[in-house]
Amino acid sequence: MLDDIHNHWKRAEAVRIKCLGVPTLDMDNVCFHVEEKSGGKIIYRHINILILYRGRNYDPQNQPVIPLMLWKPYAPIYPKLVKNIADGLTFEETKEMRNRGLYSPALMKLTTNGVYVIVVARVREAFQTEEVIRLDCTHVGMSDCKRIGVKLRDLASCVPILFKDEQIILWRGKRDQE
């Protein structure tokens, strides 16, 4: 992608980038890394579309050399995403939460290569009133489902308690009762 950006910058001052899929959950992070790796500046950002400006003094002869990756690196081994017993609950309570989540209406339906910019805000808003929510990821695929669950765990501070039949069940976690 970086090589494509620099090739476009040879002919034009700005590049339009359209982001799709799981990375759109955290667009701030995407913008930070695109600016840092490419050396350009984002001059326009709307939902999932970025315009990246190369700068007035850009010299295509001095563009950075990006090494070719001739092999795919090994996938890292991550810890288990869903625990048998959620933190702060018993086994029966966890099982009851999972069943309640499976039979609750879906908060939203996610699609393949969709734009998930509003998902984090909707999940946080739903946790104001609900304890367990369900996201319908019917056509997303199981690997993307798990990636979405990990991002939501970090961004919305919730606990994924079940991934089943391309459904994500999220629990808001223990809240202090005051």
Short mmCIF file of all heavy atoms in Angstrom, two decimals, residues 7-8 63 130:
data_model
loop_
_atom_site.label_atom_id
_atom_site.label_comp_id
_atom_site.label_asym_id
_atom_site.label_seq_id
_atom_site.Cartn_x
_atom_site.Cartn_y
_atom_site.Cartn_z
N ASN A 7 3.74 5.84 -5.61
CA ASN A 7 3.57 5.85 -7.06
C ASN A 7 2.52 6.86 -7.50
O ASN A 7 2.68 7.51 -8.53
CB ASN A 7 3.22 4.45 -7.57
CG ASN A 7 4.41 3.52 -7.56
OD1 ASN A 7 5.56 3.96 -7.59
ND2 ASN A 7 4.14 2.24 -7.47
N HIS A 8 1.44 7.00 -6.73
CA HIS A 8 0.41 8.00 -7.06
C HIS A 8 0.94 9.41 -6.84
O HIS A 8 0.58 10.33 -7.57
CB HIS A 8 -0.85 7.77 -6.24
CG HIS A 8 -1.72 6.69 -6.77
ND1 HIS A 8 -2.50 6.83 -7.90
CD2 HIS A 8 -1.93 5.42 -6.35
CE1 HIS A 8 -3.16 5.71 -8.14
NE2 HIS A 8 -2.83 4.83 -7.21
N GLN A 63 12.17 8.96 -2.57
CA GLN A 63 11.13 8.24 -1.82
C GLN A 63 11.77 7.06 -1.10
O GLN A 63 12.75 6.49 -1.58
CB GLN A 63 10.01 7.80 -2.74
CG GLN A 63 10.30 6.59 -3.59
CD GLN A 63 9.12 6.25 -4.47
OE1 GLN A 63 8.37 7.11 -4.90
NE2 GLN A 63 8.95 4.97 -4.75
N GLU A 130 -28.55 -1.74 28.38
CA GLU A 130 -28.52 -3.20 28.32
C GLU A 130 -27.26 -3.75 29.00
O GLU A 130 -26.24 -3.08 29.05
CB GLU A 130 -28.52 -3.67 26.86
CG GLU A 130 -29.72 -3.23 26.06
CD GLU A 130 -30.98 -3.95 26.43
OE1 GLU A 130 -30.89 -5.13 26.84
OE2 GLU A 130 -32.05 -3.35 26.34
#
